[in-house]
Amino acid sequence: MLSVHSVAGQVLALQLALVVLLVLAAGVALALQAQGASLAEAEQRSVVAAQAFAHAPGTRAAMQSADPSAALQPKAEEARREAGLDYLVAFSPSGIRWTHPDPKLIGTHVPGGYGKALAGKAYTSTSQSALGRAVDTTVPVTDSRGAVVGLVAAGIKVQRTNEWALQRLPLLIGSAAGALVVGTAGAALVSRRLRRQTRGLDPAEMTRMYDHHDAVLHAVREGVLIIGGNGRLLLANDEARRLLDLPGDAEHRPVTELGLEPGMAGLLASGRPATDEVHPAGGRLLAVNARPTAPYGGPAGSAVTLRDTTELQALTGKAEVAQGRLKLLYDAGMRIGSTLDMARTAEELADVAIPRFADLVSVELLEPVLRGDEPAGEHGPMRRLAVRGVPEDSAIYRVGEQIRFAPGALLTASLADSRPVLVRDLRTSPDWRAQDPVGTQRVLDNGIRSLIAVPLRARGVVLGLVNFWRAETSDVFEAEDLSFAEELAARAAVSIDNARRFTREHATTITLQRSLLPQTLPAQTALQVAHRYLPARAGVGGDWFDLIPLPGARVALVVGDVVGHGLHAAATMGRLRTAVHNFSALDLPPDELLGHLDELVSHIDTAEARTGGGRDDDAPAAGEESREQPAAPDEAYGADAGAGTDEVLLVGDSSAGITGATCLYAIYDPVDGRATLARAGHPGPALVLPDGTVSFPDVPVSPPLGLGGSMPVETAELTLPEGSRLVLYTDGLIEDRDRDIDTGLALLRTTLADAPDRTPEQTCTAVLDAMLPERPGDDIALLVARTRLLAPDRIAEWDVPSDPAAVGPVRSACMSTLESWGLDGIGFTTELILSELITNAIRYGAQPIRVRLLHDRALICEVSDGTSASPHLRRAATTDEGGRGLFLVAQFAQRWGTRYTPGGKVIWTEQSLDEAPGPAAPESDRMDALLDRWDESAR
């Protein structure tokens, strides 16, 4: 039995009192809730009954009959009994009852209060009726016009709703009794558990036990701390206060504010378990044991014991050295190889070793490695890439100097045998001093005393040498330092080898790309052009530009960008540039050319997806890892090789097929100054007018190449005044990881508007000086073209009627024009060409027929007509009367071809101005030469 004197008994009595109070409060709340529910039910039933009777068939007709009481009384009583109502009354709008449970009240007047029902609205209220206080619902009955012809009132007495609530009272009482029983049982269980935990002790006995435990706690000679879950000190015995030199008010303060060593404070505040961890504290070394208290029934926190272990100081020093070495190796793994630059990697190796391992570090690589090649055969000269320490001139060689070790020297043997060398005292090592007596003496004069030289070796190949030096103020290197130096060098060697392979592949890609880009732009007179191309720091990409002369003195300007970097992007760029040249040779308009180019890129992507792409033979296959170093993201490529996925692809990795390309294609005609442009996913051009106004013309943009899905490409036409500058570029110029495209366009506009009289070369220089990022993450291609117009006196045009007799006058006019241009030396061949082309246009073409001569770098003859049928060159048989005209044209013209216009076609020829036949050649000889071409013996 529980005693009221015990802690458990007192808790039980208090809990029982609380349970009784809660049960009583719950019973009262349930009773009130039951009464409210009964009243709500009565209201609902009265509403349903009144609405049902009011809208029942025949109710309205009965109310409008001569004797409503006779027709309604039986029905109302029947409905009242079925619905369980106390009354169901129908009465006239004037308030005279037609029905009532008490027949004596039929014909009497209903008390007021039904005005809302007369207004056509049903309403419910609790009011006084002839049968007592009741819940009443009054519903109007209206005719077809909406006029109220009578009213129906249904009611339930409030006394009846109280009876319903009393019917639920036993259930409520039973629930309260059950709750009381459950609460009492719960309190008994809690008290029983408390009795077990307190062993049935009364408060006085518990106080005595606490005092006894407190005395024992402070009597032991081991520090004891109790740390709460919030990191505050709850209890500290006398020994803990002495060992930690705690202030008097230390309890209930955060352990981080007690002036402890950072390591000790961090352990106590963390709450993590610890076993014999050694931490310094006030000149002592304390072994710390910490255990969480929660698993043993206590609140969240830790119980900590402290033991003085100062005698372990020597052992702890060695542990700290080992821990520092591990931390240094970790830092080396994180810091070495952040880029794919060999010089930077060598500097990172030197930086990470100073001052925690050496006072001076020098790194030198073999000459073939610097070129990206793999060393073979005997080790030749090396070049120093990095020196770190104080001072730099302590080393024998400076950065950039070439190093040649004498045969048989100590470091020469180290490279040949691929083994590290340890020299504890350089002053007593004649082998080391023999390689360079003057240089080694300079090292000794600067206080350098100890050396470890380790070959940089990756994949079984020696790449170079790293030297760790210590001054006389530091401890000399020992044997245990040698293994650590080898591990450090091995980590760096893998990164240097990655950089070497990158250098090799980067050089290959640069060579490929330079060979694919135009070396010089072709000569033409329509535009004054300047260009720039800058590859990204992360690797060569697929940006390109081009200028393509077209027939009719026109010029095509092209700027494009292939997605990605590396050999794959450069090769794809070459394919697309070749395709653009081929399509341009067909003299296609910009929209058709980009449509064909889109289809070509789609085929390239499909072929890449079907074959699975290529793989760099020098790179590990998917799922493989280098045996020299575990694979890690970004480690092989460098932290600042670029943030985007494209920018960190290893040069030469062609495993990822392209997903598209962008291109801007423009055709400029110097005759009328009109430029026709179309673009596929590429940034639009910038236009600088002669007055310095800068704009970005609205050229409709189509999806990137390969993603168009056969969608039509739209073009834009611009009429450019002479001296305008058209600026074409790739997105690398205006967009960067630190600059959005809107900012780039605004900066470009400002730069172009600064000096409107710049030449294209000066414009390129100014744009790059203002907009080039510090570390370009993408290629930049820039093409600036200043427009020129062909002089009007170098253009001649004639309309030709559809009459063969018109050939002669037009031909004569053309010859007169040639004489005025000083080109009468090529008059005969021009006359022959024009005669054939005009005759064909009259015979096979349609109006309008026009002839145009252009005096440019060559003489251009154009004959246009209104049909799209294209002539074909063929070889006529000896018996054919015709078919030799185009053959003659092809023989005498330097070039000829056909281009199509919206209204027909243009047949054009070009004749060199420098290859005119000499005046000494008689006309008869030329004709004989022509006739000889049909000699059957020559076939």
Side-chain angles (χ1 to χ4, degrees), residues 222-284:
E222 191 173 62
V224 178
L225 301 173
I226 303 296
I227 310 296
N230 57 0
R232 292 180 177 272
L233 178 64
L234 301 181
L235 185 147
N237 68 350
D238 295 339
E239 182 66 9
R241 291 178 179 275
R242 183 184 68 84
L243 293 175
L244 298 177
D245 194 19
L246 297 177
D249 59 345
E251 293 181 351
H252 304 293
R253 289 174 57 185
V255 294
T256 56
E257 299 178 2
L258 299 179
L260 304 178
E261 297 287 342
M264 175 70 77
L267 172 61
L268 298 181
S270 66
R272 63 178 178 85
T275 301
D276 288 336
E277 287 193 14
V278 179
H279 290 271
R284 300 183 180 89

Side-chain angles (χ1 to χ4, degrees), residues 739 747 751 765-772:
R739 182 178 63 200
L747 182 57
T751 305
T765 302
V767 167
L768 292 183
D769 289 344
M771 304 190 62
L772 185 64

Side-chain angles (χ1 to χ4, degrees), residues 653-664:
D653 181 9
S654 58
S655 61
I658 65 171
T659 59
T662 65
C663 184
L664 171 63

Side-chain angles (χ1 to χ4, degrees), residues 419-702:
R419 58 178 178 80
V421 171
L422 167 62
V423 182
R424 289 182 174 84
D425 192 345
L426 297 174
R427 295 170 296 183
T428 60
S429 176
D431 293 337
W432 173 74
R433 301 194 64 177
Q435 62 183 349
D436 186 350
V438 176
T440 54
Q441 184 59 46
R442 186 171 66 249
V443 172
L444 296 176
D445 293 342
N446 282 276
I448 304 300
R449 291 293 180 266
S450 189
L451 166 67
I452 289 181
V454 183
L456 294 169
R457 184 173 178 270
R459 298 181 297 106
V461 178
V462 175
L463 307 176
L465 189 70
V466 54
N467 303 290
F468 302 100
W469 315 76
R470 282 185 180 174
E472 57 188 2
T473 56
S474 303
D475 296 334
V476 298
F477 286 115
E478 299 294 344
E480 57 266 21
D481 296 320
L482 196 60
S483 58
F484 175 78
E486 288 184 277
E487 178 65 23
L488 196 59
R491 291 174 180 262
V494 174
S495 298
I496 291 175
D497 189 53
N498 284 338
R500 178 196 64 80
R501 292 196 293 169
F502 173 83
T503 301
R504 180 192 65 192
E505 301 298 341
H506 186 70
T508 302
T509 308
I510 287 288
T511 302
L512 172 63
Q513 189 188 43
R514 294 296 184 188
S515 66
L516 295 176
L517 288 172
Q519 304 302 312
T520 58
L521 296 180
Q524 45 79 40
T525 58
L527 298 169
Q528 181 186 2
V529 181
H531 60 86
R532 296 289 189 276
Y533 174 80
L534 297 175
R537 293 288 297 272
V540 175
D543 292 15
W544 91 93
F545 63 91
D546 222 329
L547 183 143
I548 306 172
L550 298 177
R554 297 169 303 138
V555 176
L557 298 172
V558 191
V559 173
D561 185 1
V562 176
V563 174
H565 292 88
L567 283 173
H568 186 273
T572 304
M573 176 270 289
R575 297 167 72 178
L576 295 184
R577 180 170 177 255
T578 302
V580 170
H581 271 269
N582 293 335
F583 291 142
S584 298
L586 300 177
D587 210 349
L588 298 176
D591 53 342
E592 293 185 25
L593 186 142
L594 290 184
H596 288 297
L597 206 60
D598 175 75
E599 184 178 359
L600 173 64
V601 175
S602 297
H603 289 168
I604 293 175
D605 284 344
T606 302
E608 292 284 350
R610 185 180 298 114
T611 59
R615 185 169 84 87
D616 187 3
D617 293 334
D618 202 17
E624 297 179 355
E625 293 183 355
S626 171
R627 290 179 295 177
E628 298 289 335
Q629 187 180 28
D634 297 336
E635 188 172 347
Y637 307 112
D640 58 356
T645 304
D646 293 334
E647 296 177 347
V648 297
L649 287 176
L650 185 64
V651 174
D653 181 9
S654 58
S655 61
I658 65 171
T659 59
T662 65
C663 184
L664 171 63
Y665 188 86
I667 295 178
Y668 175 70
D669 189 345
V671 175
D672 55 9
R674 182 175 300 173
T676 305
L677 304 95
R679 59 184 177 128
H682 200 85
L687 176 61
V688 186
L689 297 178
D691 61 359
T693 303
V694 180
S695 63
F696 296 94
D698 185 13
V699 180
V701 61
S702 302

